Amino acid sequence: MVNSEYLNNLNKAQKDAVLHTEGPLLIVAGAGSGKTKVLTSRIANLIKEKKAFPNQILSVTFTNKAAKEMQLRVSKTLGSSAVGLPWLGTFHSICAKLLRKHASAANLNSNFTITDTDDQIRLIKNICKAENVDVKQLAPRYILAIIDRWKNRGYYPTDVIINQKDIYEKTILPIYKLYQQKLIELNACDFGDLILHCVKILEKNNDIREIYSENFKYILVDEYQDTNFIQSRWLNLLTNKNKNICCVGDDDQSIYSWRGAEIKNFLEFDQVYKNTKIIRLEQNYRSTQNILSVASNLISNNQNRVGKNLKTTMEDGDLIKLNCFKNGKDEAIGVSDEIEKNKKNYSFNNTAILVRAIFQTREFEERFLKIGLPYRIIGGTKFYERAEIKDCVAYLRLVYQTKDDLAFERIINNPKRSLGETTLKSIHEFAKKNSLNLELSSKKMLEQNLIKPKAKIGLTLFLDLMMKWRNDLNSKKCNHVKLLQLILDESGYSSMLKNKKDLENENRLENIKELLNAMKEFDTLESFLEHVSLATSVDQEWDGEKINMMTMHASKGLEFDLIFLPGWEEGLFPHQKSIEEKGQNGLEEERRLAYVGITRAKKKAIISFSMNRFYQGDWIDSMASRFIDELPEKYIEKNTFLDETKDEIEDFEFNQDLDDDDNIRSPGWIRYQKRIK
């Protein structure tokens, strides 16, 4: 039984978007404007009004979660009528379905396998080995990223035109050719191939293209601002017969250019599809008016946008708070105090801290662990659990304690020293037989000439370095911070990260620099290692509520009552690299990221920046982000520090840990004192 009430729950713009069925339609859906409701209502209406059978509707999403939610909502509205929605899914799932029907056109069998990332990396490594390409200098993950970029642009190896400014592309193209050949031999394809093969099949086979363009009377696309070239091209080919394509999205939330998304697909939609109808969903059902006014004013500084004016029926709400702190530590204290002050009104589950770069979570994690606030990292790993941090700590642990076999195992071949599993196994066996720790076993085996020649060189070097670092520390030639810097340089770990072309290494290096900053807060190596042990052993899997921490990128699609947006400083946000590499386009994407961050807040948003921050390995005098100047003052509440003169600033105390009066200390600090007593 069809629920005929579904149209009654729509506002005028939403209803117009549902009922406009003929011709191309672009729905500009502002944050919190109910785009999923519109899409599902549109599908329900097409079926109810007999505009199309369920199998004649193609509905495309970016995630399985979004596809399942749409399926559930449509089924709830249509009941048994929704059983047959075979073409509702992600780009990849639908293309996989099409490709299995026409696999022979791509030189595949219909039972082809889809390789995962591990298989892809293994294949690339094998090719690199055969072609004498040094994977230490050119990481397989980076090679795959370039190949994926080519596929997103619609390029098979024969289509690629080398970018002469990129010294790596000349090396990667032959690898790409061999990689594709091997995939065909294995009757396999990767995720990029799923769409690329489908596009090429549709381009080269008019009969196949006619079948699908005839069948799909209506096409609906969610999050259209996140599409890349090949996805857009695929959709265009499928509208060859019927022009009833409806794309929903928000150009102001286009923040994924780094993974291939092209905002011009959205901005130029009406140029690609003639006679396009544009409908704006400007009624926000998430945030207070003050939050929307600040976000709208900020994003209005972007030039490349369709434009809209968000409004809400909700109350004006609190002004957006703007806080200035002396440094990152004070910022973390200020945020934790604010959370505790507001916990009666805003639960931990409905509270989030959104950062520009993942290394920023460290100071907040330290603070929360110290005062006992539960938290979770969404879309990432806790600071002291990140691989590069665990590597650094393992080096320090082994320098401090020769019997630390776990640390020895972790770093003995990191970076590579020709000390593989076979060598480590023999060291383990010798240690067990002679009741020795692994380091002492290694020394004894070298003395007895029990290590193979190639491994002997690497092991000797490693043990010599360990002895040197211990002498450096014991002789007071360096403190624990300088010690880690020496370890990173002399072990080759820094060079490994700097020289290896890997997309993740920039984040790893930033995290290590943040670790060095953290170490400065401790007087000795012993006290620092004790802190790390306690930090990693604290049970953070508490039942109940947790404060959410994540990057602004990871926050897209989420919402929280209370949002904190720290680190709004030039160079960090907007990020310097983004501006250097992409110029004005990079700046506008950073501003869209700020817009996404602000519009995650339902009731309260707090922005902050610091006057000093340890960033990129050095203490710097920070400058407030240019985005702060673009915030409308009438909707902003500034803390008193912002209005202080320079002389007054020097005497202004943010750090409540330094106060003597228990009455003005934060609840967290009081709780911490009770715990340590």
Side-chain angles (χ1 to χ4, degrees):
M1 181 71 181
V2 175
N3 180 5
S4 59
E5 301 295 316
Y6 65 94
L7 291 176
N8 297 336
N9 299 320
L10 304 175
N11 62 40
K12 185 180 183 307
Q14 289 174 331
K15 192 176 290 185
D16 289 345
V18 169
L19 298 178
H20 184 87
T21 57
E22 305 309 307
L25 173 65
L26 182 66
I27 303 175
V28 184
S33 62
K35 65 177 178 65
T36 304
K37 180 193 283 188
V38 168
L39 278 173
T40 52
S41 298
R42 186 176 170 87
I43 295 172
N45 187 67
L46 289 171
I47 297 171
K48 179 179 177 294
E49 297 299 322
K50 295 182 170 53
K51 295 281 186 179
F53 292 109
N55 68 344
Q56 295 176 315
I57 299 172
L58 171 64
S59 186
V60 192
T61 67
F62 272 87
T63 66
N64 289 316
K65 182 182 176 184
K68 288 177 181 176
E69 185 181 357
M70 286 181 64
Q71 176 71 62
L72 187 65
R73 290 199 189 188
V74 173
S75 298
K76 189 176 179 180
T77 303
L78 291 178
S80 60
S81 305
V83 171
L85 278 172
W87 298 106
L88 192 160
T90 64
F91 278 96
H92 290 112
S93 68
I94 291 171
C95 282
K97 190 173 181 176
L98 287 171
L99 190 56
R100 292 203 185 277
K101 291 178 179 291
H102 308 284
S104 60
N107 296 318
L108 293 168
N109 297 322
S110 60
N111 64 342
F112 63 82
T113 57
I114 302 171
T115 58
D116 60 19
T117 303
D118 288 342
D119 289 335
Q120 290 173 264
I121 289 174
R122 195 178 302 113
L123 181 54
I124 291 292
K125 282 181 177 178
N126 291 339
I127 294 170
C128 288
K129 186 177 181 180
E131 297 300 305
N132 295 316
V133 175
D134 187 359
V135 294
K136 293 180 181 179
Q137 301 298 317
L138 196 58
R141 286 185 183 277
Y142 180 77
I143 295 171
L144 282 173
I146 298 299
I147 290 173
D148 191 57
R149 187 175 74 191
W150 282 332
K151 290 184 178 184
N152 288 341
R153 295 297 302 166
Y155 301 152
Y156 282 129
T158 52
D159 303 316
V160 173
I161 299 174
I162 295 290
N163 179 2
Q164 298 300 324
K165 295 180 180 179
D166 193 321
I167 61 173
Y168 297 103
E169 287 194 4
K170 290 180 181 178
T171 305
I172 296 173
L173 182 56
I175 297 173
Y176 181 20
K177 291 177 181 176
L178 293 169
Y179 174 74
Q180 286 301 105
Q181 289 172 13
K182 191 64 179 176
L183 286 176
I184 296 296
E185 290 173 14
L186 295 170
N187 190 38
C189 62
D190 61 22
F191 278 93
D193 286 331
L194 292 175
I195 304 178
L196 179 60
H197 288 334
C198 280
V199 165
K200 297 303 180 182
I201 289 169
L202 293 173
E203 285 179 340
K204 295 177 180 179
N205 298 272
N206 292 337
D207 54 338
I208 297 175
R209 185 171 70 250
E210 286 296 315
I211 290 171
Y212 289 103
S213 61
E214 178 77 32
N215 181 73
F216 294 139
K217 290 187 175 182
Y218 293 93
I219 296 175
L220 298 88
V221 188
D222 192 16
E223 302 287 5
Y224 188 66
Q225 79 281 348
D226 293 333
T227 55
N228 57 35
F229 172 84
I230 199 69
Q231 290 164 339
S232 178
R233 176 61 178 155
W234 178 68
L235 291 166
N236 189 253
L237 288 164
L238 291 175
T239 59
N240 185 52
K241 179 72 175 179
N242 300 302
K243 303 296 183 182
N244 301 325
I245 181 170
C246 169
C247 293
V248 184
D250 184 3
D251 54 315
D252 290 334
Q253 297 189 65
S254 179
I255 58 175
Y256 296 126
S257 67
W258 50 275
R259 65 185 193 196
E262 297 193 12
I263 193 174
K264 72 175 185 179
N265 290 341
F266 195 95
L267 299 176
E268 298 176 2
F269 183 88
D270 58 343
Q271 298 174 35
V272 175
Y273 299 97
K274 302 302 180 185
N275 302 314
T276 291
K277 172 79 170 177
I278 298 177
I279 295 176
R280 290 171 171 81
L281 304 184
E282 298 177 313
Q283 184 70 53
N284 176 282
Y285 295 95
R286 175 187 299 155
S287 308
T288 64
Q289 188 58 56
N290 284 338
I291 291 170
L292 294 182
S293 296
V294 168
S296 296
N297 200 88
L298 176 67
I299 201 64
S300 68
N301 290 277
N302 274 6
Q303 297 175 2
N304 297 309
R305 59 192 295 261
V306 176
K308 59 186 173 300
N309 183 29
L310 288 181
K311 53 188 180 294
T312 182
T313 56
M314 298 175 64
E315 58 189 20
D316 289 345
D318 293 340
L319 296 175
I320 279 65
K321 279 185 84 171
L322 178 60
N323 292 331
C324 173
F325 297 96
K326 284 185 176 180
N327 52 50
K329 183 179 179 181
D330 281 346
E331 187 174 43
I333 292 170
V335 168
S336 68
D337 287 353
E338 193 79 37
I339 289 172
E340 298 223 71
K341 188 172 73 176
N342 285 276
K343 66 182 180 182
K344 288 184 179 179
N345 298 320
Y346 306 110
S347 68
F348 289 164
N349 279 346
N350 272 307
T351 299
I353 300 170
L354 311 183
V355 297
R356 174 61 182 85
I358 194 63
F359 79 86
Q360 291 174 261
T361 68
R362 200 272 305 176
E363 285 182 310
F364 295 101
E365 291 187 62
E366 297 269 24
R367 176 64 180 174
F368 290 178
L369 288 168
K370 185 176 184 179
I371 65 175
L373 285 179
Y375 71 93
R376 64 170 68 89
I377 304 290
I378 295 180
T381 308
K382 292 176 179 177
F383 184 80
Y384 286 111
E385 293 175 5
R386 294 166 193 168
E388 62 277 8
I389 302 302
K390 293 177 78 170
D391 291 343
C392 291
V393 172
Y395 269 104
L396 292 170
R397 280 168 48 190
L398 191 59
V399 169
Y400 181 71
Q401 170 59 269
T402 62
K403 297 179 179 179
D404 195 330
D405 284 355
L406 292 175
F408 183 94
E409 285 181 322
R410 185 175 185 91
I411 60 170
I412 183 63
N413 200 38
N414 188 14
K416 301 292 185 186
R417 301 185 180 92
S418 300
L419 299 169
E421 290 297 323
T422 303
T423 303
L424 190 58
K425 184 181 178 182
S426 64
I427 294 172
H428 265 287
E429 289 172 351
F430 188 92
K432 185 178 180 180
K433 183 179 178 180
N434 296 281
S435 301
L436 301 171
N437 62 66
L438 296 181
E439 184 174 340
L440 189 54
S441 291
S442 302
K443 291 178 180 178
K444 295 289 186 183
M445 291 179 73
L446 285 171
E447 291 171 1
Q448 298 175 31
N449 203 27
L450 299 176
I451 302 293
K452 292 181 179 179
K454 190 175 180 182
K456 185 176 181 179
I457 297 171
L459 186 57
T460 302
L461 176 62
F462 176 73
L463 294 174
D464 287 347
L465 283 171
M466 273 295 158
M467 186 179 296
K468 176 191 176 295
W469 295 328
R470 287 171 185 143
N471 289 335
D472 288 341
L473 185 66
N474 295 331
S475 64
K476 309 294 184 184
K477 285 184 179 180
C478 62
N479 62 15
H480 54 293
V481 180
K482 179 64 177 175
L483 174 66
L484 180 57
Q485 291 172 327
L486 286 174
I487 289 172
L488 290 167
D489 290 339
E490 295 173 357
S491 69
Y493 197 94
S494 287
S495 297
M496 176 184 73
L497 294 183
K498 289 175 182 176
N499 298 334
K500 196 174 184 181
K501 194 64 179 175
D502 190 324
L503 299 178
E504 296 297 322
N505 277 355
E506 184 179 339
N507 283 338
R508 295 187 184 108
L509 287 166
E510 281 192 339
N511 286 333
I512 290 173
K513 290 171 181 175
E514 185 61 25
L515 177 66
L516 288 165
N517 180 35
M519 292 175 67
K520 292 177 180 178
E521 298 177 15
F522 299 87
D523 295 329
T524 64
L525 176 60
E526 181 182 17
S527 61
F528 171 70
L529 291 175
E530 183 177 319
H531 168 76
V532 174
S533 296
L534 292 171
T536 52
S537 66
V538 171
D539 181 15
Q540 278 292 317
E541 300 304 319
W542 295 297
D543 291 331
E545 299 207 340
K546 299 182 182 73
I547 300 157
N548 303 282
M549 277 191 244
M550 70 200 80
T551 63
M552 281 183 270
H553 282 101
S555 74
K556 190 170 176 293
L558 304 177
E559 58 183 43
F560 303 91
D561 287 341
L562 173 60
I563 289 286
F564 292 90
L565 298 156
W568 280 41
E569 299 133 31
E570 282 294 307
L572 181 54
F573 191 49
H575 203 284
Q576 189 63 33
K577 185 183 177 184
S578 184
I579 297 174
E580 287 175 353
E581 292 184 353
K582 303 174 188 173
Q584 183 64 25
N585 290 336
L587 176 60
E588 293 206 353
E589 181 157 343
E590 291 287 297
R591 190 178 283 111
R592 291 195 294 270
L593 192 55
Y595 174 84
V596 167
I598 294 171
T599 55
R600 298 313 91 196
K602 295 166 68 176
K603 298 178 180 179
K604 192 177 183 72
I606 301 175
I607 298 168
S608 60
F609 65 96
S610 300
M611 295 192 304
N612 299 280
R613 187 175 297 276
F614 190 85
Y615 183 52
Q616 297 288 346
D618 293 300
W619 278 101
I620 58 172
D621 292 329
S622 303
M623 183 184 298
S625 169
R626 69 189 73 187
F627 297 155
I628 288 175
D629 292 332
E630 297 171 0
L631 304 177
E633 289 202 5
K634 65 182 292 187
Y635 304 113
I636 299 294
E637 176 191 344
K638 300 180 182 179
N639 73 6
T640 55
F641 197 21
L642 292 168
D643 301 320
E644 299 288 334
T645 65
K646 187 171 180 178
D647 290 335
E648 290 172 321
I649 285 174
E650 295 300 320
D651 296 324
F652 194 93
E653 293 291 350
F654 277 95
N655 191 336
Q656 295 191 47
D657 290 6
L658 302 177
D659 293 331
D660 293 321
D661 187 352
D662 277 346
N663 292 326
I664 60 175
R665 290 183 179 178
S666 71
W669 178 251
I670 295 170
R671 192 165 59 247
Y672 169 66
Q673 288 297 316
K674 288 180 180 177
R675 195 168 74 218
I676 62 176
K677 286 177 181 177

